[in-house]
């Protein structure tokens, strides 16, 4: 356990003006207050606040924050009171400790409603004084570091909460190192197997590349010095969690992750930053598209740096972050960097925490969450639970549109206005043309491109995730579907007339309406289109003597009941499925699987699994083929909108069933590699249907594996396990 003088030494190291007496008395006070209490590890309880204080000394925080850290559990867990702390340590510190006490019991992954309220309290406490968050994060970090002493059943919950709330919050506040460590510790708890395999491979790489980091550091430093720039270069290995995220995001294997090492180049001035990048680009080939200027356009959390990637010494891809010392402080400590020396003299021009972008974001969020709603309403609409599930996007005019995570530009369009949604035909995200099914990210500027369309494609219903968009699409779809049936019915009736060599006229039709129990011609056509009335019945109603041949009649086995009677009229290309009188999801056809009551097949290349957003493509006379919405194969049907069907999974209460998917795996060409891959898939419950070799070099072969899985999660888990294998350099879903 750290001694009293050690703590004071640490603080004095960065803050010579520290009040030693204050630190000393807080140390003694907290130690006495916690007395003989112990932690789950068996250590004296006091070791915990002390470690929390030590973490905050790494962030170089002011005396009040360090003292608050020492005292943070006293009001809740000991006899200490706010009044007493106020008397002994002053009002500032007492308020901090009280703030920490209020949020101590927050159990953010408890019931959703309680979670919302707790998060609201946390945000309000932070808004009062950002140092509350700094202590809270340090508290969480120490608890995560000592997670192994916590009872097994609680560990996952704590890790999830950390990954969901505290790590993003740290990132949002620009506290990069804090976020990274919180993420990594959570990841290790939640996915131990994957974590271990990444670690093992990092270790192997470390051995193979021994001295590489030092070598690149030296070469970069020398080259810059030769050109007159004094720079401090530090190389580091990425953390397993960020490697994992990248593997997930980019769908690449470990071997293809070229930038496992990042280098920071710290220089004296902004001019030197740009000069250094220029020198590096002259000396080594740079990777196009990787240069980013976060100095002229800082990130929302105040982060500033120049980023570039070059093919550096030893043909190694080297990712560089170039920045000044000040920027480096902010990059590492975020909002904490602004809180340095809060109670001592401030240097000129220093940004106060309350003026920082990160803080402004916090304020905005709180305002937005609180905007015009009572606490009940607040919880009912669970706006807060969306806090970490939410993305904030902008219109080109700068209007903020808040959407749930995974929202698409279509949701965005409907959030702006129903008319915008109904007429949307494309979009630009941050100036780039993007598909309407893209997933929006916070900070995206979205411009909706509108066309003449009055109604959205019905298939959008399965793509959007906001209620507003869905309701509008269904409304529009219902009338569009009706119009389709009507048009279809009219064509069927006209054709029947033509076949019977009878002149078709609306007057004749009008006369027959009462006999067919329909009010208008449109009603009649619509009924014919839906298959409720046969065209020949219309002829008979007009001319009871008529005895013609049946026009429709080719029936498939399921034509009588079910969702999808594939009755086919000879002249018709397709038949629209009947709407079921179910209010919810009126037009979506529920899809169970190949044994369902529909003639359903899955996309021949790539399949489809529950969890995929899907559309059906109608094959006249044959049934429906189900594709994941992102399948490139769908392009072929772009100009045949009438063949697109709105379908949804209906597997909730059904027996677990397997669904087809394809995985492409690139693996090292060595004996037993195929067996290893098959074993991974088998061990994780996947059923291999077929393996096809699909290209081969001296070192690698690529294979396409048909695999049957339960759902998307299952498929992704298998892919992740494959990527973690040493022999696998890439694994991805085909057409997924
Ligand atoms: Mn604590």
């Amino acid at each position: 356990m750290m001694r009293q003088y050690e703590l004071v030494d640490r603080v004095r190291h960065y803050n010579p003006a520290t009040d030693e007496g204050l630190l000393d008395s807080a140390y003694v006070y907290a130690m006495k207050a916690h007395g003989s209490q112990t932690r789950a590890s068996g250590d004296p309880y006091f070791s915990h606040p002390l470690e929390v204080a030590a973490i905050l000394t790494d962030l170089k925080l002011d005396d009040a924050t360090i003292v608050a850290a020492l005292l943070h559990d006293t009001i809740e867990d000991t006899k200490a009171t706010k009044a007493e702390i106020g008397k002994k340590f002053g009002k500032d510190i007492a308020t901090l400790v009280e703030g920490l006490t209020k949020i101590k019991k927050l159990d953010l992954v408890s019931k959703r409603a309680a979670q919302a309220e707790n998060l609201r309290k946390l945000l309000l406490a932070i808004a009062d004084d950002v140092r509350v968050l700094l202590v809270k994060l340090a508290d969480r970090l120490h608890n995560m570091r000592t997670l192994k002493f916590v009872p097994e059943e609680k560990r996952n919950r704590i890790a999830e909460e950390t990954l969901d709330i505290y790590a993003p919050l740290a990132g949002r506040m620009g506290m990069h190192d804090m976020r990274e460590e919180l993420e990594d510790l959570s990841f290790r708890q939640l996915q131990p197997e994957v974590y271990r395999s990444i670690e093992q491979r990092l270790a192997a790489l470390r051995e193979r590349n021994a001295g590489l980091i030092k070598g690149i550091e030296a070469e970069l430093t020398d080259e810059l010095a030769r050109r007159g720039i004094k720079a401090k270069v530090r190389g580091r290995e990425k953390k397993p969690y960020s490697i994992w995220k990248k593997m997930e995001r980019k769908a690449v294997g470990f071997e293809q992750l070229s930038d496992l090492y990042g280098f920071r180049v710290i220089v004296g001035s902004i001019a030197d930053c740009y000069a250094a990048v220029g020198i590096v680009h002259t000396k080594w080939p740079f990777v196009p598209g990787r240069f980013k200027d976060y100095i002229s356009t800082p990130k929302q959390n105040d982060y500033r740096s120049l980023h570039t990637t070059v093919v550096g010494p030893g043909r190694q891809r080297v990712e560089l972050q170039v920045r000044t010392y000040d920027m480096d402080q902010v990059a590492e400590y975020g909002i904490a960097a602004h809180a340095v020396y809060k109670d001592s003299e401030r240097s000129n021009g220093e940004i106060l925490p309350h003026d920082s972008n990160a803080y402004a974001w916090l304020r905005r969020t709180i305002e937005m969450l609180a905007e015009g709603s009572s606490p009940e309403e607040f919880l009912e609409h669970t706006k807060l639970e969306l806090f970490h599930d939410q993305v904030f996007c902008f219109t080109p005019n700068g209007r903020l549109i808040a959407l749930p995570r995974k929202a698409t530009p279509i949701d965005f369009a409907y959030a702006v206005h129903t008319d915008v949604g109904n007429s949307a035909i494309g979009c630009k995200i941050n100036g780039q043309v993007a598909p309407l099914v893209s997933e929006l990210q916070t900070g995206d500027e979205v411009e909706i491109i509108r066309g003449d369309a009055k109604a959205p494609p019905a298939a959008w219903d399965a793509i959007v995730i906001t209620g507003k968009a869905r309701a509008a699409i269904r409304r529009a779809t219902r009338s569009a579907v009706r119009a389709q049936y009507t048009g279809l019915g009219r064509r069927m009736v006209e054709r029947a007339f033509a076949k019977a060599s009878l002149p078709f006229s609306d007057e004749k039709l009008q006369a027959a309406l009462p006999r067919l129990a329909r009010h208008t011609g449109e009603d009649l056509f619509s009924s014919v289109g839906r298959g409720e009335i046969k065209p020949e019945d219309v002829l008979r109603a007009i001319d009871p003597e008529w005895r013609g041949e049946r026009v429709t009649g080719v029936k498939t086995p399921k034509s009588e009941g079910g969702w999808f009677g594939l009755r086919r009229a000879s002249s018709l290309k397709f038949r629209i499925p009947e709407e079921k009188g179910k209010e919810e999801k009126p037009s979506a056809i529920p899809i169970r699987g190949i044994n369902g009551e529909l003639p359903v097949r899955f996309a021949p290349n790539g399949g489809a699994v529950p969890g995929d957003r899907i559309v059906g493509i109608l094959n006249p006379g044959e049934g429906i083929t189900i594709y994941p919405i992102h399948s490139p194969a769908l392009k072929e049907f772009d100009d045949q909108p009438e063949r697109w069907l709105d379908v949804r999974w209906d597997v909730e209460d059904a027996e677990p069933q397997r669904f087809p998917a394809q995985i492409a795996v690139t693996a090292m060409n060595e004996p037993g590699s195929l067996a290893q891959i098959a074993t991974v898939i088998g061990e994780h419950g996947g059923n291999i249907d077929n393996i096809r070799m699909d290209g081969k070099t001296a070192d690698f072969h690529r294979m396409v594996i048909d695999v049957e899985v339960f759902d998307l999660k299952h498929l992704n888990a298998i892919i992740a396990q494959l990527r973690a294998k040493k022999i696998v350099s890439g694994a991805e879903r085909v057409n997924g």
Side-chain angles (χ1 to χ4, degrees), residues 39 45 48-49 52 72-73 77 104 136 139-140 143:
R39 301 199 85 211
Y45 193 91
H48 165 66
V52 174
H72 81 270
D73 282 334
D77 295 348
K104 181 168 158 57
K136 183 70 198 169
D139 179 38
R140 175 52 59 118
N143 287 336

